[in-house]
Amino acid sequence: MAALGVERSDLDQASHYTHAALELASRTGSGFIGRKLETVKSRLVPLMTDSRASTLHQQISALDSAV
């Protein structure tokens, strides 16, 4: 759902689902969720002029370095 929000440029939806996935990934250490979030992160690049996209990108990157 986070990736769909990014595709639609709906950063509110993307943020909501990304935060839920980040929380779950950090609690469980799930590599699967981490890989899915990498897809979301790459799709955020064209939207990086929006601070919400930049923040999400940074939060996903922080998960990458923590796992």
Side-chain angles (χ1 to χ4, degrees), residues 10-57:
D10 183 346
L11 292 174
D12 292 327
Q13 176 183 349
S15 179
H16 174 77
Y17 287 107
T18 297
H19 285 127
L22 285 166
E23 181 181 329
L24 185 59
S26 66
R27 266 198 337 247
T28 65
S30 172
F32 177 78
I33 296 171
R35 288 188 299 278
K36 292 298 183 181
L37 285 170
E38 278 298 312
T39 301
V40 172
K41 186 170 99 170
S42 67
R43 291 180 181 179
L44 284 167
V45 171
L47 304 173
M48 293 290 280
T49 56
D50 187 308
S51 64
R52 296 173 296 172
S54 179
T55 299
L56 287 175
H57 194 277

